[in-house]
Amino acid sequence: KEVLGMYVTSNPLSRHADTITAYSTAHTNDLASCGEDKSVVIGGMITKIRNITIQNGRNAGNKMMVFELEDLNGKIEVVVFTKLLTKIGHLLELDKVLFVKGTVDCNRETPSILCDGVIDIDDANEKLTAKV
């Protein structure tokens, strides 16, 4: 995928497609129409990670993270601020399949998600099932 820009075999998310479809409340391609500050749950795979050191303000010197989450429909950036990063940072690694809970941020030209938490794909049935 890195060289060609597409998967030669099958998308690694294909084997999790049923779980992602069942528990996601939105998809990356329709977040622009969701509206600002809407709470969403999106399942996908982490494809790119950037660690950032905050330069200004009261959190200067602290770390935050921006990662790219790819679902079956597209990609979106997810922003994880310092406080949450200390709690969930160990769960965030390349090619990890998980669910992101957060709010939609439309302040830039492309929407992003401000992360409130993550749930491992293996724990989705237990933590995201509302009722039987």
Side-chain angles (χ1 to χ4, degrees):
K1 179 176 189 304
E2 289 179 27
V3 174
L4 297 176
M6 63 181 183
Y7 293 102
V8 176
T9 57
S10 66
N11 187 324
L13 291 175
S14 297
R15 65 182 173 164
H16 301 291
D18 292 338
T19 305
I20 290 171
T21 303
Y23 296 117
S24 293
T25 60
H27 301 286
T28 55
N29 60 351
D30 56 42
L31 282 179
S33 62
C34 278
E36 182 80 19
D37 296 330
K38 179 172 180 182
S39 293
V40 294
V41 175
I42 296 184
M45 181 172 62
I46 298 174
T47 56
K48 191 184 296 184
I49 295 176
R50 284 190 337 238
N51 290 302
I52 300 168
T53 302
I54 300 170
Q55 300 294 325
N56 300 319
R58 67 175 190 208
N59 290 324
N62 290 332
K63 303 269 186 213
M64 64 180 278
M65 179 185 287
V66 177
F67 66 87
E68 192 172 85
L69 185 75
E70 180 178 324
D71 69 1
L72 296 167
N73 299 307
K75 302 175 189 179
I76 191 151
E77 281 194 341
V78 179
V79 180
V80 183
F81 291 108
T82 305
K83 190 174 183 179
L84 183 61
L85 185 59
T86 58
K87 294 178 185 175
I88 66 166
H90 65 284
L91 297 172
L92 305 175
E93 55 191 43
L94 282 176
D95 298 330
K96 176 97 171 184
V97 180
L98 46 74
F99 284 91
V100 172
K101 295 171 86 174
T103 55
V104 178
D105 178 24
C106 296
N107 288 332
R108 291 177 274 174
E109 59 187 61
T110 58
S112 61
I113 297 175
L114 303 178
C115 185
D116 296 329
V118 296
I119 298 169
D120 191 272
I121 192 81
D122 297 329
D123 299 333
N125 288 333
E126 178 183 323
K127 294 185 178 179
L128 293 174
T129 302
K131 52 182 155 176
V132 178

